[in-house]
Amino acid sequence: MIKLNLTSEKVLNEEFKPVPHGYDPLMVDRFFDKMLEDYRIVEENILLSKQEYIDLLKKIENLTKQSKDLEIQNSRLNSRLSNIKPTDLVTSDNVDLIKKVNAYERYIYFLGHDPKEAL
């Protein structure tokens, strides 16, 4: 974490006492204007970095939750699919049988009986 000793406001408001044989005040002022500009850029980047960090933490939290949810869903689906044997493949014969059973169930229902109660 970057910790600055000065802020743009401190640089802007800093006052120097005049001395008889000192530096040219105009040159010092121009230099501090450039430094102030840089400080504002640094401060802005620090604030952006903090916000990006917070946003990334939230994103990590959401992705971790999604990952756990997907792992649970995957586990459930794997347990449901574990009962399927390679011999349980759907063939055209199986589809034809299912269509016939469906037709018989509709006919029984048409006659006034619930096919589920017959089981």
Side-chain angles (χ1 to χ4, degrees):
M1 184 78 166
I2 299 173
K3 183 175 182 189
L4 302 173
N5 293 318
L6 297 174
T7 65
S8 56
E9 291 302 312
K10 286 182 182 178
V11 172
L12 179 64
N13 296 325
E14 183 66 32
E15 290 186 29
F16 297 94
K17 296 178 182 169
V19 291
H21 298 287
Y23 296 101
D24 179 10
L26 190 58
M27 287 179 67
V28 171
D29 193 42
R30 283 188 200 133
F31 175 78
F32 278 116
D33 284 344
K34 289 178 185 178
M35 191 167 61
L36 177 64
E37 216 175 293
D38 288 346
Y39 257 87
R40 286 187 176 143
I41 291 170
V42 168
E43 287 173 341
E44 184 178 317
N45 283 328
I46 288 175
L47 290 175
L48 287 175
S49 295
K50 285 179 182 179
Q51 187 58 46
E52 286 175 343
Y53 177 76
I54 290 169
D55 291 344
L56 287 172
L57 283 178
K58 288 178 183 178
K59 192 171 189 175
I60 288 171
E61 185 178 319
N62 288 338
L63 290 173
T64 302
K65 184 183 179 315
Q66 283 180 350
S67 175
K68 287 180 183 179
D69 290 346
L70 288 173
E71 285 176 11
I72 291 169
Q73 185 178 3
N74 187 31
S75 175
R76 287 180 185 159
L77 290 174
N78 280 335
S79 66
R80 286 179 64 190
L81 295 175
S82 66
N83 296 333
I84 297 177
K85 296 173 257 164
T87 58
D88 290 344
L89 297 175
V90 176
T91 63
S92 61
D93 293 339
N94 291 351
V95 173
D96 289 339
L97 289 173
I98 291 172
K99 287 180 181 178
K100 286 180 183 179
V101 169
N102 188 27
Y104 288 134
E105 286 180 342
R106 280 188 280 144
Y107 181 70
I108 292 171
Y109 192 75
F110 175 74
L111 293 176
H113 302 287
D114 188 0
K116 293 179 185 175
E117 291 177 6
L119 300 174

